[in-house]
Each structure stands twice: as C-alpha cells, then as structure tokens.
Amino acid sequence: MTFIDWVILFLYLIFSFVLGIYLSLKNLNETDYFVAGRRLNGLLAGMSMAATTFSIDTPLYVAGIVGSRGLAGNWEWWSFGLAHIAMTVVFAPLWRRSGVLTDAAFTELRYGGRAAAYLRGIKAFLLSVPINCIGIGYAFLAMRKVAESLGVVDGHIIFGPLTDTMLFMILVALFLLIYTVLGGLWAVVVNDFVQLVLALLGAFAVCYVVLDASGGMTDLLIKLESLGRPELLSLFPWTLSKDGFNWLDSSGISITTFFAFISLQWWSFRRSDGGGEFIQRLLATKDEKQATLAGIVFLIVNYLIRSWLWILVGLAGLVLLPYQSDWELSYPKLAVTYLPPVGLGLVVVSLVAAFMSTISTSLNWGASYLANDLYKRFLRPSAGPREIILMGQLSSIFLLLIGVATALFNNSIGSMFRLVIAIGTGPGAVLVLRWFWWRVNALVELSAMLSGFFIGLITSVSPSFTIEDFGKRLLFTTSFSAVIWLLTLFFTEPESDETLNNFVMQVKPPGPGWSKIRKKLNIDPVDSFSVLGCRFILGSGILYGGLLSIGAFLLHQERSAWIALSIAVSSVFLMKKTRLITQ
C-alpha cells in the first residue's frame, strides 16, 4: 500500500468514528440502543442485513470454495436462500407483530413458566457467547489474512507472546469498539449503509481488474477449461451429457452433502425462521410491510448482486495465481497485484468497511442478549434504561475480547463457518413449528437446541466421534436431535391456555395448528397457510432462477441461462398476478 492508500483508509475510519459519535445522541433507552427505536424503513434495514453478511471473510471464503471445490461448492451458502425466502415472505411480519426486543425474549411470549425462563437464559448465552464469538473470530481471522497479504503485519514477535499480528488486531478492535459501544444500533445501521456501498464498489473494482488481466470473460473461460477441472464451471456438482448423468467427485462434494445442503441444512439450522441479527433488524422496522421489504432488499443484494462478483474473482485467481496453495488468500493477493494506488486504497477501505459492519452487528446483537435477556431478566429486573445501555456497552467489550482470542487459534475460514453450521443444526424444525402448532412447548425447544449444539460440536471437533462427511454430519445431528425433541414433546405437557391465548392475540399466527384457539378467540389469521406456501415457492423460483440465470449468462451457458430466466420471470408474473406479496 502506498501513502495515498493509507490516507484513504484513515479518512474513512475518522468518518465512521464521527458518525458513531453523532448517532449516539439518539440513544435515550434500550429500545433506541438495541432496535433503533423501531423506526427503520425496509430499505435501510435490508441494506444493513446485507452489509452484516458481507464481512471481510466472505469474499475470501467464496474464493476458497471456488478454488478448492469449484462453482458448485457455493451451494454450501446458496442453500440458505431458502431460509431467507421463508424469513421474508412468512416470518418477517410475524416477528414484527411479536413486538419483542430479542428473539430470546420471544420465548417468554410464546411459552410460559419456569421452563420458558430457563430457555430464554440458556438461548441468550449460547447465541451471544460461543456461537456469536466464533462468528466474530472468523471475521478477525480474515482480517488477519488480509493484513498479512498486504504486508501490514508478518507475525513476528514484538514482546513476549505478543506478535505484530496480535497488536494489529487489538488496535482494530479498540477503534471498532468506540463507535459501536457509543452509537448502538443506530450507528451500526447507518454505518452499514455506507459500508455496503463501499464494499460493493470495492468488489466490482477487484472483479473488473482481474477479468481484464485474464483477457476478458471469453479468454478466462477457455483457460479454465484447459485446467481439466470440470467442476470449476459447473453450476451443480454433476454433468449431463449423451453418456448420461455423471457426478463430479472432483468437486469435493459428496451426494449426501449436496442434498443435505438443499433439503436439510436450511430448515434444520437455527436460522430457519430468521436468525438473530436479522430478527433484530426486522424488530427494528416501523411495521410489517417494512419488515417484508427489508427481507426483499437483502435477498436482491446478497444473492443476485454480490454472488457473482466474488465468484468471478475466485475463478480468475485460478488462472492468475496458478501456484496458490491457500485459495482464501487469492482475493487480497489479486487486489494487491492488479489494483493501482488509490484503487487499492478504496478496495482496502471496502474490505475494512465490510469487516466493521459484521463485527459491529455481532457486538450489538450479542450485547442485547447479555444485557436484556440475562442481566435485566435474571439479575436486575429493576434496572433503568441508562443501566441497561451501560451493561450493553460492557458486554460488547467482553464479546470482542473472546472473539479476537478465537481468531488466534484457527487458520481456515471455511472450517470455522462449517463449525458454526454444525453446532447450530438441529433446532430449526422446532423453531418453525412453534409458529404454526400450539403443542410445541419450551422444553421441546430447549431439548432441540441443546442436543443439536452438543451433537454438532462433538461430531465436529472430537477425534473419536468426528464425522468427516459434512452431509452425514448434518443428517446425524438433525436425526438424533429430532428423536430427543420428539420424545420430549411426547412426555411433557403443553403450554397453559393463558399463554397460548396471549400469543395468538399478539401475533395472529397462521396455519391449522392454531385454528381451535383462533376460533375460540374470534381472531382471523393475517394470511392463510396456503398463501404463505405459494409465496415461498414462487419466491424460491424468483431467487434461484435469477441467481442461476445471471451466472449461466456470464459463463456462456446460454441454454441453462434461458431456462433459469424463464423460471424467474414466470414466478414474478404469477406473484404479481395473484398479488401474493401484498399484505
């Protein structure tokens, strides 16, 4: 990096700091601090959701997938689009109607008694500390890799066990804390908007220069085909030819793993009905319509705009860096090699912005659990707004320290991502069912969450019980936890009539599972179960038809592109004609 690149980075950091200080003036109580006073519009909330998923680790993660497993490896994260569609067209209005402050607090709206309180506390701890801090850890790991690729640090000892890499991460963490701790969700969301714009511009700049260096799209495709790796340009881990169906073993994706991605992972994961930081944004919107709009904005930005910018860079890295061993590092190395001064500074700013958006969200989201669902709920029920904000600020510092420590003990972003998936697999079915069936109780959700967490952890890290095939690991975790929560359901009592009645009056849940209670209370659901199902199917057609058609056109696979585009256009037409998306 040249002097001008450092100046650009410094100016951006000062801007973020000043913006955070200014927005901190909006925080009068915990609602302002943790859900922005419930005044976000759908565009800002959706852009914030997209920004928080675009961390500095994300383009490195995608480049690593493309380099090691080819294009089809992206189904590891593309499959979550199904859960995000369900979040948008089914669960976003329900979450907004619940009116809670966190998804952990939702448990005491849906359930009652001591079991609900235990569930709230345990859930708040698991989501805020181990799960959240692993996410913070792999974002810092990516920051470490980028810093080392840029030559900012090299890992040499400064004093005792302290290396220059550790010192760099500590300095970044301290700066990040200032605007996150002071500004709360207002500072996070507004900074997210700016950071997302910068991140998209940076991704486009890297994509443009590496395609130009590769000789353009046509030349790049010719060079990739000459590598003799058919999985690189295949949208799926198989090929169809006159010789029949052929599974691409070279993709490193087994049949069980691929089908676990598309048929199991998205609904079995703990984010099946939204996901913690996404739910925080939905709860912060003005109303149900804005919550749905937030989901739509997120789907467009995250899947249709960003995906192929990252993937094309990963493909170009295979040609431009043929001797690369760690494909996760190809993204920053390509930026350093091919971007001129100023351009490199802007891309570095975009990566730092992406990093800051994710970490600031994780800190504010995790602190909301520790301050509201643990401290206020169990330790200091009489705590006032200022005390809760202070506890949220202290919690942010605590979570960041653990997250930085986590990053120092791992070297693979992809492996940490898969660990997060593994320990979060299992409770997804219960999280969906609780919205549609009165019989689910607090002990059922608690058993599903704990069994999924510990089974996923043991089968991922224990030498004696590790299941190497990722698909089989997900299937085993889901199946074993299902046995546990089904037995719990059979042997425990349902929630009280008072608890169920209050939930139905507040949320107006859909589906036949609530029909008797709705009839007794004379309450109609906002949407029928069949309408929600049609929204989900057509939304899936729009998203994946658009995603695959864009990619197929870029890869000069015209027949596949036109088929996918036809599916997307037909789904849009049916959605509009039947007015399924309107509320």
Side-chain angles (χ1 to χ4, degrees), residues 184-503:
L185 190 63
W186 274 115
V188 171
V189 169
V190 176
N191 263 301
D192 276 353
F193 183 86
V194 177
Q195 290 160 352
L196 179 63
V197 173
L198 291 172
L200 289 175
L201 290 174
F204 178 81
V206 176
C207 184
Y208 178 82
V209 296
V210 298
L211 283 180
D212 182 65
S214 302
M217 197 67 209
T218 301
D219 283 356
L220 175 61
L221 295 176
I222 293 172
K223 293 172 183 176
L224 288 170
E225 289 173 355
S226 69
L227 296 177
R229 294 181 58 185
E231 78 277 5
L232 291 180
L233 298 176
S234 179
L235 291 167
F236 299 94
W238 65 76
T239 57
L240 291 173
S241 64
K242 61 181 180 180
D243 298 325
F245 177 87
N246 179 45
W247 192 267
L248 295 172
D249 293 325
S250 56
S251 67
I253 304 173
S254 66
I255 294 176
T256 54
T257 296
F258 178 75
F259 284 99
F261 287 160
I262 62 174
S263 64
L264 177 68
Q265 177 175 272
W266 65 273
W267 62 261
S268 181
F269 191 54
R270 62 180 173 82
R271 293 176 177 269
S272 58
D273 65 344
E277 62 269 39
F278 287 178
I279 293 170
Q280 186 187 36
R281 301 303 189 277
L282 299 177
L283 292 170
T285 55
K286 296 177 182 178
D287 53 38
E288 299 165 40
K289 186 177 292 187
Q290 295 301 316
T292 301
L293 177 60
I296 294 172
V297 171
F298 166 73
L299 288 171
I300 292 172
V301 174
N302 189 59
Y303 291 97
L304 301 185
I305 296 177
R306 289 193 310 210
S307 286
W308 292 102
L309 294 175
W310 297 331
I311 291 170
L312 291 177
V313 173
L315 291 173
L318 290 161
V319 172
L320 299 174
L321 301 171
Y323 303 108
Q324 180 71 27
S325 57
D326 185 350
W327 290 112
E328 290 180 351
L329 290 176
S330 62
Y331 195 96
K333 284 189 176 181
L334 287 170
V336 170
T337 304
Y338 293 100
L339 282 168
V342 179
L344 178 60
L346 291 174
V347 169
V348 171
V349 165
S350 75
L351 291 173
V352 171
F355 166 79
M356 292 173 65
S357 67
T358 297
I359 299 300
S360 60
T361 290
S362 296
L363 294 179
N364 185 268
W365 168 59
S368 70
Y369 290 129
L370 296 179
N372 289 286
D373 300 302
L374 290 176
Y375 181 77
K376 184 175 183 178
R377 173 62 180 84
F378 296 102
L379 299 178
R380 283 273 294 170
S382 61
R386 290 296 174 188
E387 185 176 345
I388 296 301
I389 291 177
L390 176 61
M391 286 307 303
Q393 293 169 336
L394 295 175
S395 298
S396 297
I397 298 172
F398 169 72
L399 293 172
L400 188 60
L401 291 174
I402 298 178
V404 172
T406 304
L408 299 174
F409 295 98
N410 203 298
N411 201 47
S412 172
I413 297 168
S415 64
M416 293 182 75
F417 178 80
R418 284 183 282 278
L419 176 61
V420 168
I421 294 175
I423 63 178
T425 295
V430 174
L431 298 182
V432 171
L433 280 174
R434 65 183 181 176
W435 293 98
F436 300 109
W437 190 27
W438 65 275
R439 185 61 182 83
V440 175
N441 61 38
L443 290 175
V444 170
E445 184 174 333
L446 181 61
S447 64
M449 180 180 65
L450 291 178
S451 60
F453 179 85
F454 287 111
I455 294 168
L457 183 65
I458 291 170
T459 55
S460 296
V461 302
S462 173
S464 302
F465 298 99
T466 298
I467 301 176
E468 295 296 339
D469 186 287
F470 191 63
K472 292 179 181 178
R473 193 190 315 170
L474 294 181
L475 180 60
F476 178 80
T477 303
T478 301
S479 301
F480 201 94
S481 61
V483 171
I484 293 174
W485 69 256
L486 284 170
L487 288 173
T488 305
L489 180 70
F490 183 78
F491 287 108
T492 56
E493 297 294 324
E495 298 296 334
S496 67
D497 289 344
E498 180 183 4
T499 298
L500 296 174
N501 291 343
N502 289 337
F503 177 74

Side-chain angles (χ1 to χ4, degrees), residues 161-196:
L162 184 67
T163 65
D164 65 337
T165 301
M166 294 172 63
L167 180 61
F168 173 74
M169 294 171 69
I170 291 170
L171 291 175
V172 171
L174 288 175
F175 175 83
L176 183 64
L177 270 177
I178 295 174
Y179 91 78
T180 303
V181 166
L182 292 178
L185 190 63
W186 274 115
V188 171
V189 169
V190 176
N191 263 301
D192 276 353
F193 183 86
V194 177
Q195 290 160 352
L196 179 63

